[in-house]
Amino acid sequence: MYRFVSDKLTIIILTNHADRILDQLAIDLAGISLPALKRPDAITDPDPQTTAMLKDVVSGLLKGKSEPESFTAAMRIFLSTATGKAFWNWFADHGELSSFIFSDREDRGDGQVLRYKISLGGNWYWFPFL
């Protein structure tokens, strides 16, 4: 269930597939229902160096390699758990990383969220980075 409270919209997705990431589907459905919620098309990347660094980090994770200093303390702990390792192994099974496209940036009180459209094995996924 995904709630867009200020837009008075709730998206409920029922599935028998626990191995699916549904966030991007819910957001895409919200954008169809309310165009103001539609994800922006790719725009000019304001910081190609950060994009290249994040792409390298994701690529490493998909290959089972990571540099601990690239992550917050909480993420380092998560990546050391069986769940953290299994998540990236499962995600790597989706196919090779072929595209990593900057989508948008959201300024928040605790920093920025950068969003990227990523292609793995010909399927598109949305990744946020804090």
Side-chain angles (χ1 to χ4, degrees):
M1 182 165 91
Y2 300 82
R3 295 186 70 206
F4 302 87
V5 177
S6 60
D7 296 296
K8 298 179 182 173
L9 177 68
T10 299
I11 303 289
I12 299 172
I13 300 173
L14 304 174
T15 180
N16 290 331
H17 294 278
D19 63 341
R20 307 281 178 181
I21 298 175
L22 300 174
D23 294 354
Q24 68 270 9
L25 177 59
I27 293 169
D28 289 343
L29 290 170
I32 290 170
S33 179
L34 295 171
L37 296 176
K38 185 179 181 212
R39 290 187 184 272
D41 291 329
I43 59 173
T44 301
D45 190 341
D47 189 354
Q49 277 186 298
T50 297
T51 297
M53 182 270 302
L54 291 172
K55 182 178 180 181
D56 288 344
V57 168
V58 170
S59 182
L61 287 167
L62 292 169
K63 294 174 184 170
K65 302 173 186 171
S66 63
E67 306 275 338
E69 63 275 1
S70 298
F71 303 99
T72 62
M75 183 56 97
R76 285 194 296 269
I77 292 169
F78 173 71
L79 291 173
S80 70
T81 67
T83 301
K85 292 173 186 171
F87 172 79
W88 286 101
N89 288 334
W90 168 77
F91 213 69
D93 286 343
H94 287 76
E96 186 156 340
L97 177 64
S98 58
S99 292
F100 198 94
I101 303 167
F102 176 80
S103 174
D104 69 296
R105 178 182 70 205
E106 175 186 347
D107 293 320
R108 297 181 1 176
D110 58 347
Q112 295 180 343
V113 177
L114 303 174
R115 291 186 188 87
Y116 291 85
K117 187 175 180 181
I118 297 173
S119 178
L120 294 172
N123 295 307
W124 290 99
Y125 303 92
W126 292 96
F127 270 63
F129 296 89
L130 301 174

